[in-house]
Amino acid sequence: MNRRFPRSLLSLSILSALVLPPMALAQDATPAAAQQPTSSQEATELDTVTVTALRQSLETAQSLKQDATMVVDSIVAEDIGKLPDNSVADALQRVTGVQIAQGNQGETTSVVIRGLPNVITTLNGREIFSSSGRGFAFQNLPATAVRTLSVYKTSEASLPLGGIAGLVDIQLRRPFDFDGREVAGTYTATHSKYGGSVDPNASLLFSDRWDTDAGEFGALVNFGYQAKDYAYDAVWGDFPKVVTTGTGEPIRTSDGNLIAAPNGWGTSYNDGYRERGAFNYALQWKPREDTEIYLEGLYDWVRDSYSNAFYFTFPVGAVTPSQLGVGSHCYPNQLEGALQGQTICDASNGVWTGDTYAATSTQAHKQRGQDIQNALGLKWDGDQLHLSTEFSRTSGYYRDENFIIDTFLSGPITTVWEGTSGRHQNWYLQGDPALDPSRFYLNGLFQTWGYSYGEENSWRGDGHFDFIDGPIASLQFGLRYADRNAEAKGSVELSTPPPGGAGTGNITANPNPDNQVIARLPGLDFFCSKRGNDALHQKWLTPCYDTLIDSADYLRTLYGLQPGLAAENPGRFFDIGEEKLAGYLQAKYDTEMFGLRVDGLVGVRVERVERDLNAYSFDASTGIYSPISRNTKDTNTLPNASMNLHFNDEWQLRLVAAKTLSYPDFGALNPSISLNPGTINRAGIAASGNPDLTPIESMNYDASLEWYFSPVGYTSLGLFYRDIDGYIQNYVTNVVIGGEDFELSSPQSAGSGHLQGVEFAWQQTFDFLPGAWSGLGAQFNYTYIDGSTRSPQFIGGPETSRPLQNVSKNNYNAVLFWENYGVSARLAYGYRSRYIDFFTQPTVAGNEDQVEPASSLDFSISYDVTPRQTVILSATNLLGNNLHQFWGDGDTRPRDIRFQDQTIGLGYRFKL
């Protein structure tokens, strides 16, 4: 016992241990070997520890990391359906260096590795994507289907191109993973705070294998289903601007300073019902011990129907404020013009009364999508030569239909802005005019739809030859051919005036009586009430989702349009074909250097890409779309080299250098433009792609020092540096199209940049503790990231050094777990610091849109009622943290607060 206690203390003294000079460790290798009896005794004692599913998962993941030739971190579900978290996307946040973010429909949609979103995904080793994009929607795949998630943070020649950030490999289960027949299932009922319902999440797996005269066969099928009622509220403040009177004269403080306030205030509520399903299968046949033939596939689908309801007011600059408070936060006005550089102070509250524009609107969305992949492969293992080949086909589509009717309120309107207490905008309309149906008038009708589709047929052949003697352990080689097509089409949001005519002059002061909702739509259940929240302290009316969907043809006819969908518009069309031929050659070496074992890889991958783009360009002066075609050819050579230096069986140092590349998204290459006209004092929204985008290239350098001190115990310290060229960033600029003002969002190849950082990870089970405490364990990982790029501050502006988008400097996860006596409990906290979401149009505060994401504390506990039956209780976002978004730095100019959901679930897992 006395021998083990100091060893345990040493394992907890992580920082001091990591700074030990490597040469000193090498010198200690011989004495460590001399203490073999002690090590053997300890190994015998550890064998008495009960091997549980959680411990086995952690041990397997640790072995994958230790034995990998690259810098790899994995999550393993040894028990069926026991991957942590509810979705694949959520589970990835537990991996060192991975950050996630939620989308506006209340689920994780963004996964970045070390601050970069340029991630490629493989399924059982082959590329997979969703619809016309290059990435895979991780939320499409239920976590219950997954055995292993591995995040490759460095690259080597056999891995496909596409992700300068890294690669995520998803391994599904196969029948030969099991000793024999396996039947398993899960069912979880989850209640969400804002959705308010109890939602199902279920899976069922069947697997078996048979020995026959024709060889060994295996078959597996797995089904997954989940549904969710969700509600995702956001309350926002429009861009900060100089406060003026109704005639446009700037209002100043007693000190002569300018004053800044939001252009307006609003809400965006997403309420919907979403279903996801998945089916995967695998067939394996080994006619001989050295040969395997397999056929496997995945099908997943999503059905999402949701209401995106808006309530907003835009009084600033339209009328003179009757009350205006000013805070102490002052700075130079960054907006170009006569007032540039003058001191401007942020307003703290205000009241505006007049015939200003206030409105509600409902976007009624119906979304459908699916991903399909099938693969047929053959593996042959000789004594030294190993060969494999595989044909695969991947396809997927995504369709969104959106029907919108805007309604505005008759004046006068009194907007009360209470300030930014709680680091969010607090506002309401005095007198609750948005609850009076008689105050509502019809405005524009918008109908838009979009359809995207992608498919790829690919073949690959791989092999390696093992050498019996010499420093070269094996020679790896392979070819890959892929024929990819991505296409999209749809309509563009163009406003159709209301049936009574748009009206003249100030429509708020003098609304057209022919457009009054209750008079124009008698007997139609048109309005639904929306809730208030901590930022908006009142209820409000907006067009009902069901009414818009069920009465779409009637409403289109009322607006003088043909029934059915809006006509296709060239602004949403592109058809891109891409052929890739790649080959690689790589040597794996294993030798000795200075008495230490050294292994690694040296290789090169060469890939030729031919791309044909067909789309339409837009002439803003004439409003005419013209066909455009682009044909490009490119050859990329990407070398790599790595070295793993093994000081002993526990300590090793990895050094990796590799060139990586990410291709632009297909949609980002589309040169056409989509338009959403503006309101009285808010510019329209426009978006376009850029056919001149070039691939993002990066030279990557990594070093990782790792100590594996027990089967479920390690610590590692890693350094990384990325020298990036052509990083693609989105910009928002002010443009005039057809005589109207628009804020145009478009991507640009930003120029050269760099990203660097430090990673630290620690994992341990405290087996040395007495009794029940021996089931205790912990995990911790931390990543520091810093990066910048040389790019224009705005399109056409001077080039400056700017931070990289999506990069949070500080990121960490802390997990405390306990597993003993059939009970498994896990408490996990994840934190990601502030980052730049995108670059906006220029404002008084600059053009950075910064996000402070919601940190999350999650908990789960399970109990094995029998060896094959388990009950589970889980909860997410226990602290109720929300996402905060800001215009520029500081907390004085909130843009959004997004209310993140809290869930609690009760589940049952079984195996027969």
Side-chain angles (χ1 to χ4, degrees):
M1 192 68 183
N2 291 333
R3 287 195 191 98
R4 300 184 65 200
F5 185 61
R7 178 183 176 89
S8 302
L9 285 178
L10 182 61
S11 69
L12 293 173
S13 304
I14 300 161
L15 293 177
S16 61
L18 282 172
V19 298
L20 289 175
M23 292 308 296
L25 295 173
Q27 294 171 0
D28 288 344
T30 301
Q35 298 173 1
Q36 184 63 37
T38 301
S39 300
S40 299
Q41 182 182 359
E42 290 179 0
T44 302
E45 292 180 15
L46 286 175
D47 286 343
T48 64
V49 175
T50 302
V51 179
T52 61
L54 176 58
R55 290 171 185 268
Q56 187 62 56
S57 296
L58 296 175
E59 183 174 345
T60 302
Q62 179 172 309
S63 297
L64 290 174
K65 178 180 178 67
Q66 184 175 8
D67 297 339
T69 55
M70 296 288 101
V71 178
V72 181
D73 285 289
S74 301
I75 298 174
V76 176
E78 286 290 346
D79 207 359
I80 299 170
K82 205 173 181 180
L83 191 72
D85 302 290
N86 294 324
S87 72
V88 170
D90 290 332
L92 283 169
Q93 71 178 308
R94 310 301 174 194
V95 177
T96 307
V98 175
Q99 301 90 42
I100 66 171
Q102 283 194 358
N104 62 5
Q105 288 161 262
E107 64 177 348
T108 300
T109 57
S110 170
V111 175
V112 297
I113 299 177
R114 292 171 170 172
L116 296 175
N118 316 94
V119 178
I120 189 170
T121 305
T122 56
L123 181 72
N124 293 338
R126 74 188 70 89
E127 287 185 75
I128 189 170
F129 53 84
S130 295
S131 67
S132 64
R134 293 196 184 275
F136 178 65
F138 294 107
Q139 64 272 22
N140 286 356
L141 186 61
T144 52
V146 177
R147 177 177 182 178
T148 305
L149 288 174
S150 295
V151 178
Y152 290 76
K153 302 172 191 175
T154 59
S155 188
E156 45 100 338
S158 68
L159 297 178
L161 292 183
I164 65 167
L167 181 147
V168 177
D169 182 49
I170 305 171
Q171 291 287 328
L172 306 183
R173 298 183 184 276
R174 289 169 169 164
F176 286 177
D177 294 339
F178 305 104
D179 294 332
R181 179 174 299 172
E182 197 75 39
V183 180
T186 65
Y187 181 84
T188 303
T190 303
H191 179 270
S192 57
K193 175 182 177 180
Y194 296 124
S197 66
V198 177
D199 303 311
N201 187 336
S203 68
L204 188 61
L205 177 143
F206 300 89
S207 180
D208 206 349
R209 55 194 297 177
W210 307 270
D211 282 317
T212 72
D213 294 338
E216 186 174 13
F217 290 88
L220 177 148
V221 292
N222 183 64
F223 304 88
Y225 173 81
Q226 53 184 324
K228 184 173 180 62
D229 269 302
Y230 61 90
Y232 191 78
D233 294 3
V235 178
W236 47 266
D238 206 30
F239 64 87
K241 63 185 290 186
V242 175
V243 180
T244 65
T245 65
T247 60
E249 291 296 319
I251 298 175
R252 296 181 181 269
T253 67
S254 58
D255 296 331
N257 295 329
L258 300 169
I259 303 171
N263 181 54
W265 295 268
T267 63
S268 174
Y269 289 3
N270 284 297
D271 300 277
Y273 179 70
R274 178 174 54 244
E275 293 180 287
R276 294 191 185 279
F279 164 74
N280 64 280
Y281 72 92
L283 304 174
Q284 292 177 283
W285 174 35
K286 294 190 71 171
R288 304 187 315 181
E289 188 62 32
D290 59 1
T291 304
E292 179 186 333
I293 300 172
Y294 61 88
L295 176 68
E296 60 186 8
L298 168 71
Y299 169 72
D300 65 57
W301 57 267
V302 59
R303 303 288 183 267
D304 200 345
S305 300
Y306 74 97
S307 164
N308 186 196
F310 292 87
Y311 175 31
F312 52 86
T313 177
F314 288 136
V316 179
V319 296
T320 304
S322 58
Q323 297 179 31
L324 191 65
V326 182
S328 59
H329 184 246
C330 304
Y331 48 92
N333 176 19
Q334 299 185 46
L335 195 60
E336 289 188 339
L339 303 177
Q340 185 178 17
Q342 295 187 26
T343 298
I344 190 166
C345 301
D346 289 327
S348 58
N349 57 80
V351 177
W352 289 258
T353 299
D355 292 316
T356 60
Y357 190 71
T360 68
S361 174
T362 297
Q363 298 186 9
H365 286 270
K366 291 176 62 177
Q367 297 179 336
R368 306 289 183 265
Q370 69 178 31
D371 303 314
I372 302 176
Q373 186 178 82
N374 291 284
L376 174 64
L378 169 67
K379 297 178 182 179
W380 177 79
D381 291 305
D383 292 335
Q384 292 178 263
L385 181 63
H386 310 267
L387 299 174
S388 65
T389 185
E390 181 183 87
F391 295 89
S392 65
R393 175 176 171 80
T394 306
S395 65
Y397 80 87
Y398 190 76
R399 184 180 184 90
D400 179 22
E401 296 179 9
N402 186 13
F403 190 89
I404 310 167
I405 286 186
D406 288 346
T407 58
F408 68 91
L409 295 167
S410 60
I413 299 293
T414 297
T415 300
V416 180
W417 174 41
E418 298 177 310
T420 59
S421 175
R423 299 192 307 153
H424 54 71
Q425 301 290 347
N426 301 278
W427 70 277
Y428 64 93
L429 298 188
Q430 194 174 80
D432 285 329
L435 286 177
D436 183 358
S438 68
R439 297 283 298 271
F440 284 87
Y441 289 78
L442 293 173
N443 207 354
L445 179 149
F446 303 76
Q447 188 176 27
T448 179
W449 58 272
Y451 173 81
S452 61
Y453 175 78
E455 65 177 19
E456 180 182 87
N457 296 305
S458 67
W459 168 84
R460 71 179 187 189
D462 300 273
H464 66 273
F465 183 84
D466 297 329
F467 293 92
I468 298 176
D469 297 311
I472 305 300
S474 66
L475 192 64
Q476 305 170 5
F477 51 89
L479 288 172
R480 183 180 187 271
Y481 171 78
D483 185 3
R484 177 82 185 272
N485 179 256
E487 61 183 67
K489 58 184 178 180
S491 65
V492 176
E493 294 180 345
L494 295 176
S495 178
T496 301
T504 58
N506 188 328
I507 61 173
T508 303
N510 302 294
N512 188 334
D514 290 339
N515 292 328
Q516 188 185 39
V517 173
I518 59 176
R520 192 77 195 195
L521 302 172
L524 192 64
D525 190 11
F526 190 73
F527 285 117
C528 288
S529 177
K530 294 294 183 179
R531 61 200 168 272
N533 53 44
D534 290 343
L536 177 67
H537 308 299
Q538 63 183 176
K539 296 181 179 179
W540 46 285
L541 300 178
T542 190
C544 296
Y545 175 88
D546 290 339
T547 300
L548 295 182
I549 294 295
D550 298 338
S551 305
D553 285 346
Y554 165 74
L555 293 169
R556 283 182 60 84
T557 302
L558 183 70
Y559 273 74
L561 302 170
Q562 292 294 319
L565 296 177
E568 184 176 337
N569 189 287
R572 297 287 294 277
F573 172 83
F574 68 80
D575 186 352
I576 302 175
E578 186 177 81
E579 287 188 84
K580 292 191 290 188
L581 178 62
Y584 71 91
L585 182 64
Q586 184 166 250
K588 180 177 182 180
Y589 64 91
D590 193 338
T591 185
E592 286 192 2
M593 182 184 299
F594 306 115
L596 301 177
R597 181 190 165 206
V598 178
D599 60 26
L601 299 170
V602 177
V604 64
R605 185 181 185 93
V606 180
E607 183 160 293
R608 180 171 177 80
V609 181
E610 297 187 16
R611 188 180 300 126
D612 296 322
L613 180 149
N614 295 288
Y616 288 86
S617 62
F618 180 75
D619 188 331
S621 62
T622 63
I624 296 176
Y625 290 93
S626 302
I628 181 175
S629 296
R630 291 283 183 90
N631 305 101
T632 59
K633 297 181 181 180
D634 195 17
T635 300
N636 300 291
T637 302
L638 294 102
N640 67 279
S642 65
M643 181 179 73
N644 299 332
L645 182 63
H646 302 269
F647 300 111
N648 51 42
D649 290 340
E650 296 182 349
W651 285 86
Q652 62 187 37
L653 173 67
R654 300 181 192 272
L655 300 174
V656 185
K659 183 179 180 181
T660 58
L661 178 148
S662 286
Y663 297 109
D665 286 336
F666 292 109
L669 294 168
N670 181 15
S672 194
I673 193 167
S674 61
L675 305 173
N676 182 11
T679 60
I680 291 177
N681 69 330
R682 183 64 161 90
I685 305 297
S688 74
N690 181 354
D692 297 320
L693 295 176
T694 57
I696 307 170
E697 296 184 354
S698 177
M699 279 301 304
N700 301 345
Y701 306 94
D702 290 78
S704 177
L705 180 62
E706 301 162 7
W707 177 29
Y708 299 91
F709 51 83
S710 73
V712 188
Y714 80 90
T715 187
S716 66
L717 180 67
L719 306 176
F720 58 89
Y721 181 85
R722 305 286 182 263
D723 189 2
I724 304 170
D725 186 52
Y727 188 66
I728 297 173
Q729 300 193 144
N730 285 309
Y731 293 85
V732 178
T733 54
N734 296 320
V735 298
V736 177
I737 301 175
E740 294 187 38
D741 293 330
F742 285 87
E743 295 171 358
L744 173 64
S745 174
S746 60
Q748 302 291 321
S749 294
S752 60
H754 78 280
L755 183 143
Q756 60 191 7
V758 180
E759 285 183 348
F760 170 75
W762 167 66
Q763 169 180 290
Q764 184 171 4
T765 54
F766 302 105
D767 304 328
F768 55 87
L769 294 175
W773 292 106
S774 64
L776 191 65
Q779 295 172 298
F780 179 81
N781 63 68
Y782 169 78
T783 307
Y784 173 82
I785 310 171
D786 183 38
S788 65
T789 183
R790 295 287 301 177
S791 61
Q793 186 172 2
F794 52 89
I795 296 177
E799 189 175 272
T800 60
S801 180
R802 305 297 305 279
L804 287 173
Q805 292 174 227
N806 300 304
V807 174
S808 295
K809 284 194 173 183
N810 296 288
N811 313 267
Y812 66 84
N813 289 284
V815 179
L816 185 67
F817 59 88
W818 183 83
E819 192 167 42
N820 220 335
Y821 310 119
V823 177
S824 179
R826 174 175 166 271
L827 186 67
Y829 181 79
Y831 171 83
R832 178 184 180 186
S833 66
R834 194 161 169 153
Y835 64 92
I836 295 175
D837 190 29
F838 62 91
F839 296 104
T840 70
Q841 77 278 12
T843 73
V844 297
N847 72 330
E848 291 181 3
D849 184 295
Q850 298 188 8
V851 169
E852 185 175 300
S855 55
S856 181
L857 180 65
D858 303 330
F859 174 74
S860 65
I861 185 169
S862 65
Y863 175 66
D864 295 333
V865 181
T866 70
R868 289 185 168 268
Q869 297 184 81
T870 303
V871 292
I872 311 118
L873 177 68
S874 62
T876 66
N877 195 15
L878 291 173
L879 302 178
N881 290 333
N882 299 311
L883 180 146
H884 295 268
Q885 193 166 9
F886 301 89
W887 296 95
D889 58 4
D891 294 346
T892 61
R893 296 174 299 270
R895 174 169 179 151
D896 295 353
I897 179 174
R898 305 180 196 174
F899 293 93
Q900 310 280 50
D901 214 344
Q902 294 175 283
T903 68
I904 183 167
L906 182 63
Y908 171 70
R909 185 170 60 241
F910 70 89
K911 292 192 294 184
L912 300 180

